């Protein structure tokens, strides 16, 4: 697995999501940018999906065994900065360590890692490509 390519692809998708979020539905470029985003997501899942689904499966077993694993692109945030994560980004999970709390798993870049986000205060790294 080329971790640098994975991280670059992740950054590219998030940047495209940010570009799309700045456009209104009436913008002439909206459909084209949305299609570019979907193509990037499809390519990401084709190139890295098998690897990331295995990683996500392991993380889910440790952190949130009662929650199904989704496609890797479902875990992507709206921002490149992990410090700017809010409670609505990533995939909602039932985290065993935080019962009765809204928790989310988010796949963030630089380095590529999975963050368990709980409320406004908890940001726990649960997996990373860094050794």
């Amino acid at each position: 697995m080329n971790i640098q390519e994975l991280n670059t692809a992740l950054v590219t998708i998030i940047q495209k999501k940010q570009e799309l979020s700045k456009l209104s539905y009436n913008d002439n470029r909206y459909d084209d940018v949305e299609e570019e985003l979907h193509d990037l997501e499809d390519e990401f899942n084709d190139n890295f999906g098998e690897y990331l689904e295995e990683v996500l499966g392991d993380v889910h077993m440790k952190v949130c065994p009662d929650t199904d694993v989704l496609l890797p692109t479902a875990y992507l945030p709206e921002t490149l900065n992990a410090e700017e994560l809010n409670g609505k980004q990533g995939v909602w999970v039932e985290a065993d360590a935080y019962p009765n709390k809204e928790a989310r798993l988010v796949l963030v870049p630089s380095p590529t890692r999975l963050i368990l986000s709980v409320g406004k205060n908890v940001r726990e790294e649960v997996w990373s490509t860094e050794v």
Side-chain angles (χ1 to χ4, degrees):
M1 174 56 50
N2 186 325
I3 299 303
Q4 184 58 44
E5 285 181 17
L6 169 62
N7 192 71
T8 300
L10 190 56
V11 168
T12 301
I13 290 173
I14 295 168
Q15 287 172 332
K16 190 60 69 175
K17 286 177 81 168
Q18 289 175 325
E19 179 183 349
L20 184 63
S21 73
K22 293 176 184 171
L23 300 177
S24 74
Y25 292 118
N26 297 331
D27 192 302
N28 291 337
R29 298 172 297 147
Y30 188 91
D31 289 340
D32 292 337
V33 173
E34 184 179 43
E35 179 142 347
E36 290 169 16
L37 174 60
H38 291 310
D39 289 346
L40 288 170
E41 290 173 334
D42 289 345
E43 185 177 335
F44 184 84
N45 286 327
D46 287 346
N47 293 338
F48 307 108
E50 189 174 314
Y51 169 74
L52 288 173
E53 285 176 18
E54 186 174 316
V55 166
L56 288 162
D58 291 345
V59 169
H60 272 254
M61 287 303 294
K62 293 175 190 166
V63 176
C64 50
D66 295 330
T67 308
D68 292 336
V69 175
L70 302 179
L71 284 174
T73 49
Y75 297 82
L76 302 185
E78 303 296 323
T79 178
L80 290 171
N81 185 347
E83 303 302 316
E84 296 175 3
L85 292 177
N86 65 42
K88 302 299 178 202
Q89 297 181 63
V91 171
W92 178 88
V93 296
E94 292 181 47
D96 288 352
Y98 301 95
N100 303 316
K101 303 259 186 194
E102 181 160 335
R104 292 183 174 265
L105 274 178
V106 188
L107 182 61
V108 298
S110 305
T112 303
R113 61 204 187 280
L114 280 165
I115 303 288
L116 179 64
S117 173
V118 185
K120 294 181 180 184
N121 299 321
V122 177
R123 300 290 181 272
E124 180 183 332
E125 184 176 294
V126 293
W127 173 84
S128 176
T129 55
E130 287 191 330
V131 178

